[in-house]
Amino acid sequence: MRETEDEFKDVIIIGAGFAGLCMLHRVRQLNLSARVFERATNVGGTWYWNSYPGARCDVESLDYQFAFSDALQRGWRWKERFAEQKEILAYLNYVADSLDLRNDIQFKTSVEKAVFCEDRKIWQIVTDSGETTNANYLISAVGCLSTPSMPELPGLSSYAGRWYHTGNWPQQDMDFSGLNVGVIGTGSSGIQIIPELAKQAQSVTVFQRSPNFSVPANNHQHTKTFTDEYYDKFLAKREQASRTIYGNASWSSYPSALDVTDRRRSEIYEEYWNKGGAGFMVSFADVLTNPKSNEFAADFIRGKIDSIVTDKALAKILHPTDHAVGTKRICVDTNYYETFNKKHVTLVDVRQCPIQSITKTGLLTRENSYDLDVMIFATGFDAMTGTLMRIDIRGIGGMQLSKKWAKSPNNFLGLSVAGFPNFFVITGPGSPSVLSNMVLSIEQHVEWIARCISDVGRQGAKCIEVTETAEKEWVAHVNEIAQQTLFPQNDSWYLGSNIVGKARVFMPYVGGIGQYREHCEKVAKDGYTGFKIS
Ligand code: N01
C-alpha cells in the first residue's frame, strides 16, 4: 500500500485487555482518534486466553476493577472474593459495552512491525494482514503474561492425544471425564487447574519439577450488604491503596518476624493463613527482605503441607526448598495440597526422574512411561518483555527494541524507552506492575500517559523521548532497590530465568507503588524531567 493511502490515527494501542480498554477510553476523552489492534476475537487480554478450569484472580475482586467511573463501578457486582476467569472476562465485556469501545478495536489482528519515521515524527504500524496505519503515538498494552512458554520436549509432534497450554486455552468448555490427564508445571496455573481436573478426570498425573509455595484462597461468595458497604468507601480505599507497597488497602504487616516469640509468630502466620490469599506475604514486613524471617514463613507453609497431605513421603516431595517464599510469585489455591490425598492423583518428581520425551501415547521419564489421553502444559510465560520483543519495533536509526533489550530491558519509569520517541509501555518492566494490584497500576499509567500526551500537544510539540541519562539512572535505581530484597537471589520469571537464553535481570520495580507514583508525579510536575520534547 502506498504511504499516502495509509490510515492515520493519533494513537495506536496494542492489546484490548484491562490496559488497552482503559487507554482507549482515556484517549477518546482527549478527543484524539485511536485504534486498538487485538489478536483475539474479543476483549479480555490475559483473561481471554487463560480460560482453563480453575483460572481465578489472586487479587480480590472488589479491588480488581476500574476506579475511573463511578457509574461503571456501581453497575457491576462481583460474586466472589476471588473472581473466576469467566466473571472477569464478563466484567471486561461489560466495560467495553458500557463505554462503547468496540468500534475502535480491530480484533483478529496482530501488530507485526512498528517503525518510527524520524522525518515526520510518526509511527508506521504494520499488522499481520499487511495493513499499515500511521500514528503520532504507539502505546503497548500487551500485558505482562501474554506469550506462553512451551518446553522443548522431543516427540510432541508424534503425540496422538490432545494437548493444551493453560495460557492459550480453547474458548469452549471441555470435559475431562473418564480421561487420563497429565499436567506439566506447578506454578500458579498448574496449582489452579490440578484440583479442577481431579474432579473430572479418571486419573491426573502431575509432573513437578520445582514445588511452589501455595496458600489457601479461602474464597467465598460476597453478600450484597458487604459489597454495598465496600463500594461506599471504594474511592477512599483506592486512594489509600495507591500509597501502599502492593496496592492493597486492607493488607497490614507486623514489623519483623524476628521480634516475636516462636509461639506468637506461629499465631500470626495462622491468622494470615486462615484469612487466605497472597496477603500471607506481608504477615511480617521483612518476609521478603530478611532470609531468616523468610525461612520462618517457609517452615510454616511446609508444616501446613505436612498436616494436609496424608502420605508423608509425598508431602516431602511437595516441600519447596529451592527458593525463598515469594521470590517466585506465591500461589493462591483452592484445595491444591488436599488433591494429592485422592487415589487417582499421582505426583511425579521430574527433578529426580527427568522427562525424556513425549511419545505417541504419552510421556516417558527416565524410569517410567505414562499413557495420557490429554497433556496440559502449565509451563508459564515469556513474561514482561516476551510479547513486545517478538514485535519488530524500530526506533531512532532503525534500532530494534528486541536488540536494545537483549541484555537488559532498559527503560524509564517502566513507561518509556530511550531511542523510541512517542512510544509508551503500560505496566512495562521497571514499573511495579506484576508486584501490585495490576488494575490500579494500569490506571495510574494510563492517566500519566494521557496527561503527558495532552501536555505535549498543549506545548505545540510533536515528539517526546526519554534521554539515555534518565533511563540509566532509573535502571540503576530499580536494581538498587531490588538488591535490598531477596527477589534477585532465586530464579523466577520475574528475572526471565524461566526462558532459555533470556537475560537474567530482575524486571519489576519493588519500591512499592506509593513511592513509584511519587516518582512519576514529580517527573510530570517538573515539566517531564528526563525527557526531550520537540
Ligand atoms: O507459570 P510459572 P504459571 N519440565 O512460570 C514448570 C500469573 N498467574 O503460568 O519452576 C517440567 O509460575 C516450572 O518448573 P520450574 C502469576 O503471576 C496468575 O503457573 O521452572 N516443568 C513451573 O513449575 C504467575 O506467577 C494467576 O522448575 C516445567 C511451571 O512449569 C504467572 O502467571 C493464575 C518445564 C511454570 O510456572 C505464571 O504462572 C495463573 C519443563 N520443561 C497465573 N518448563 C492468578 O491467580 C516449565 N516447567 C492471578
Side-chain angles (χ1 to χ4, degrees), residues 377-397:
F377 292 89
T379 46
F381 301 87
D382 185 350
M384 305 204 69
T385 53
T387 309
L388 271 185
M389 286 174 76
R390 280 168 176 77
I391 304 174
D392 185 2
I393 301 177
R394 293 170 191 241
I396 301 278

Side-chain angles (χ1 to χ4, degrees), residues 174-188:
M174 274 189 277
D175 185 7
F176 294 94
S177 307
L179 299 176
N180 299 307
V181 183
V183 181
I184 300 171
T186 49
S188 299

Side-chain angles (χ1 to χ4, degrees), residues 205-246:
T205 309
V206 176
F207 298 92
Q208 171 193 274
R209 188 163 67 184
S210 312
N212 254 303
F213 291 98
S214 190
V215 293
N218 285 345
N219 195 21
H220 54 75
Q221 300 275 320
H222 284 313
T223 63
K224 186 171 178 320
T225 319
F226 177 80
T227 313
D228 285 346
E229 281 173 7
Y230 195 94
Y231 278 178
D232 286 340
K233 295 181 227 133
F234 181 68
L235 287 182
K237 274 181 186 288
R238 183 56 70 96
E239 178 51 33
Q240 197 189 339
S242 66
R243 281 183 265 113
T244 63
I245 295 179
Y246 300 107

Side-chain angles (χ1 to χ4, degrees), residues 47 50 52 56-59 145 151-153 166 184-190 192 207-210 212 328-329 332 350-351 355 378-381 493 498:
W47 295 108
N50 287 267
Y52 59 85
R56 215 171 261 286
C57 189
D58 58 4
V59 176
L145 296 156
E152 284 183 21
L153 295 170
T166 46
I184 300 171
T186 49
S188 299
S189 306
Q192 287 185 334
F207 298 92
Q208 171 193 274
R209 188 163 67 184
S210 312
N212 254 303
K328 283 183 174 182
R329 191 183 174 98
V332 177
V350 300
R351 209 172 275 291
I355 299 172
T379 46
F381 301 87
W493 60 258
N498 62 325

Side-chain angles (χ1 to χ4, degrees), residues 59-65 230 234 238 248 250 437 439:
V59 176
E60 298 198 26
S61 59
L62 295 171
D63 293 323
Y64 203 70
Q65 63 179 339
Y230 195 94
F234 181 68
R238 183 56 70 96
N248 192 316
S250 58
N437 172 350
V439 181

Side-chain angles (χ1 to χ4, degrees), residues 152-197:
E152 284 183 21
L153 295 170
L156 185 59
S157 59
S158 69
Y159 179 53
R162 288 179 285 147
W163 67 267
Y164 307 101
H165 191 291
T166 46
N168 191 8
W169 198 260
Q171 291 303 301
Q172 71 274 18
D173 283 339
M174 274 189 277
D175 185 7
F176 294 94
S177 307
L179 299 176
N180 299 307
V181 183
V183 181
I184 300 171
T186 49
S188 299
S189 306
I191 279 171
Q192 287 185 334
I193 197 172
I194 289 162
E196 291 303 310
L197 292 169

